[in-house]
Structures are given as C-alpha cells and as structure tokens.
C-alpha cells in the first residue's frame, strides 16, 4: 500500500514536471496552439508525441486493458465538446490548472473552484 | 511559429508519458487528471490525493531544483474564467476524461472513445479560440 502511494506521488510529480518543462502550465502557450488562424505554436502536438509512445509502452508492459466503456455516445461527444469550449476560453485543462495553483494567481484559483463546481454539478445532474 | 519550442515540448511530453506508464505498471491506474480529481470524493481516494499532491508540488520543485519560473499572465476576463472552469469541470465528467485521460492515455491505448473525444475537444477548443480572437467576440 505504501509503495502504491509513493508511486502515485512520484507519478504526479513527473506529470507536473512534464507540464512545467513543456510550458503547458501557461495558458498562453496552450492558446497559441489552439489559435490555428493566428501565430500558430505547434508545441502541444510534440508534447503529445512525446507522451503517447511512452504511455503506450507502459500499457503494453503492464498488460493492455480494454476501455471500461466502448460506446461512442452522445455523452462522450457533448462532454468533450463542452470541455473543449471551456479549454479554449481560458487555455486551462484540469492538469495544468492544478499545477499552476502554486503561482497563486487569483484567476487560477477561481478557475479551479469553478471546475470543481462543474464536477459537483455533474454529479448532481447525473443522479437525477 | 515564433514561439515554437520543440525540444522542451518533447521532453515535457516524455515526462508525462513516463508518469502515465509508471502509474499503470505500479498502480494499475490511468493518469487522467479530471478522473483522478473527481475520484477524490470516492472511498479509494488516498492514491489520488498523493498523485495530486505531486502534481501541485511539481512547479515548486522545479523552481527549487532547476530554474525560476515566471507567473503566466491569464488574459481571459473574470466571467469567462468562471464559465470556462464550469464547462471544463462538467464537460470532462460527462465525456469521461480530459486532455490526459483521453488525449494521452486513451490515445496510447488506441481507445476509439478517446480518439473521438480528443478530436471533438481539440476542434471545439480551436473553434472557440477562433471565435474569441478572430471574430471580435470576448
């Protein structure tokens, strides 16, 4: 159990260092990627290109699992669409928003609070 | 293309991939941040809190160990920051993942759900930025 907790903490640290090194904790960097019609910054593609193969090795080495749900349904598409709009408005997705908390920017705190409220709102809506 | 940073992007991505691989091999868990965050309300929360503690501490560790970091400026107006946060929170739960769970881990597992979700949120995000920056809104 202790070992699993240590692994989890190290993984969180590595993940956050990855976001820091790649500058993805800066919303302007992310918005620069999303702004295809502007002064486009393709860096985020290389973040994914660096991450996906190593993650794939992990899933292969640890035994590959089928996704829990396989259906491509309305919830998946609408949820991803809503997430994308929010991501595009601010330039924060959940990982970078949490990693940026230590900068102490009030807007980051507000974004994370609103994100938690959105998650809680989903739980309430989903239980109806 | 003036801001393109290929080396740090690949290196940072590699660290993220290593984190996802290690979390699977060591804990049999998927490194999806929205799921880990929402799951802190579930009974099996300790490993999630440990992961999130590492995530939040990472820039502090970086500053101490490597180099100073400047605080990024968030240009988005306050009301849109709130709206964006609400949409990211609700949308990632409804869609079952975010950039990490679908975009990195799901893509690495070649999950059709994740490939569709990634295409949808990338398109929606790029479309939103286009409207805000190039159509006079926001």
């Amino acid at each position: 159990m202790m070992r699993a907790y240590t692994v989890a903490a190290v993984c969180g640290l590595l993940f956050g260092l990855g976001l820091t090194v790649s500058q993805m904790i800066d919303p302007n960097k992310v918005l620069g990627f999303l702004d295809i019609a502007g002064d486009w910054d393709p860096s985020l593609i290389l973040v994914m290109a660096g991450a996906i193969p190593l993650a794939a090795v992990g899933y292969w080495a640890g035994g590959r699992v089928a996704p829990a749900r396989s259906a491509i349904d309305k919830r998946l598409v609408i949820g991803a669409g809503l997430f994308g709009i929010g991501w595009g408005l601010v330039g924060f997705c959940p990982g970078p928003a949490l990693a940026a908390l230590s900068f102490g920017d009030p807007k980051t705190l507000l974004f994370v609070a609103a994100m938690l409220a959105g998650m809680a709102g989903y739980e309430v809506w989903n239980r109806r | 293309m003036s801001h393109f940073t290929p080396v740090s992007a690949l290196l940072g991505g590699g660290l993220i991939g290593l984190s996802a691989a290690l979390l699977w091999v060591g804990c049999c868990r998927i490194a999806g941040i929205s799921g880990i965050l929402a799951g802190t309300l579930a009974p099996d929360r300790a490993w999630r809190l440990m992961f999130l503690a590492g995530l939040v501490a990472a820039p502090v560790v970086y500053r101490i160990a490597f180099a100073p970091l400047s605080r990024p400026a968030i240009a988005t107006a306050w009301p849109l920051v709130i709206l964006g946060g609400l949409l990211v929170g609700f949308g990632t739960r409804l869609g079952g993942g975010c950039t990490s769970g679908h975009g990195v881990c799901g893509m690495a597992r070649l999950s059709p759900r994740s490939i569709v979700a990634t295409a949808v949120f990338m398109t929606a995000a790029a479309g939103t930025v286009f409207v805000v920056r190039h159509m006079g809104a926001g």
Side-chain angles (χ1 to χ4, degrees):
Chain A
M1 217 49 177
M2 267 322 289
R3 197 189 70 106
Y5 294 160
T6 309
V7 171
V10 168
C11 287
L13 187 67
L14 285 173
F15 201 105
L17 287 174
L19 292 173
T20 306
V21 168
S22 63
Q23 300 171 57
M24 292 298 133
I25 49 171
D26 182 351
N28 301 303
K29 188 80 178 161
V30 175
L31 291 174
F33 165 76
L34 295 171
D35 188 8
I36 292 163
D39 186 15
W40 190 51
D41 177 358
S43 301
L44 195 144
I45 287 186
L46 287 186
V47 177
M48 294 185 75
I52 291 171
L54 279 173
V57 168
Y59 294 129
W60 172 77
R64 196 162 158 268
V65 283
R69 289 171 292 161
S70 57
I72 293 162
D73 51 17
K74 255 198 293 191
R75 293 168 74 95
L76 179 82
V77 175
I78 294 172
L82 293 176
F83 161 48
I85 293 169
W87 188 31
L89 281 176
V90 188
F92 268 146
C93 50
L98 292 173
L101 278 174
S102 62
F103 288 115
D105 189 316
K107 280 184 177 172
T108 305
L109 296 173
L110 189 68
F111 181 88
V112 170
M115 180 170 76
L116 289 169
M119 288 179 167
Y122 169 79
E123 296 300 330
V124 172
W125 173 82
N126 194 39
R127 269 194 222 118
R128 278 178 315 146
Chain B
M1 301 268 285
S2 55
H3 313 296
F4 188 37
T5 48
V7 176
S8 63
L10 265 175
L11 183 65
L15 288 169
I16 292 167
L18 182 65
S19 163
L22 190 59
L23 193 68
W24 180 250
V25 172
C27 294
C28 279
R29 297 291 186 172
I30 300 292
I33 308 301
S34 56
I36 291 174
L37 182 62
T40 53
L41 301 169
D44 179 24
R45 77 171 71 145
W47 77 270
R48 294 188 171 95
L49 292 172
M50 295 297 283
F51 183 96
L52 294 175
L55 177 65
V56 171
V60 180
V61 171
Y62 183 92
R63 247 168 288 177
I64 294 167
F66 302 109
L69 288 169
S70 55
R71 174 169 122 172
I74 299 170
T76 309
W78 288 92
L80 290 178
V81 169
I82 297 172
L83 179 63
L86 289 170
L87 287 170
V88 168
F90 189 90
T92 51
R93 294 322 297 144
L94 184 63
C98 58
T99 350
S100 49
H102 281 313
V104 173
C105 298
M107 298 276 275
R109 294 154 74 210
L110 297 174
S111 154
R113 270 175 66 84
S114 292
I115 293 167
V116 169
T118 304
V120 170
F121 67 64
M122 287 281 186
T123 307
T128 302
V129 170
F130 185 83
V131 169
V132 170
R133 289 195 174 175
H134 303 289
M135 292 179 72

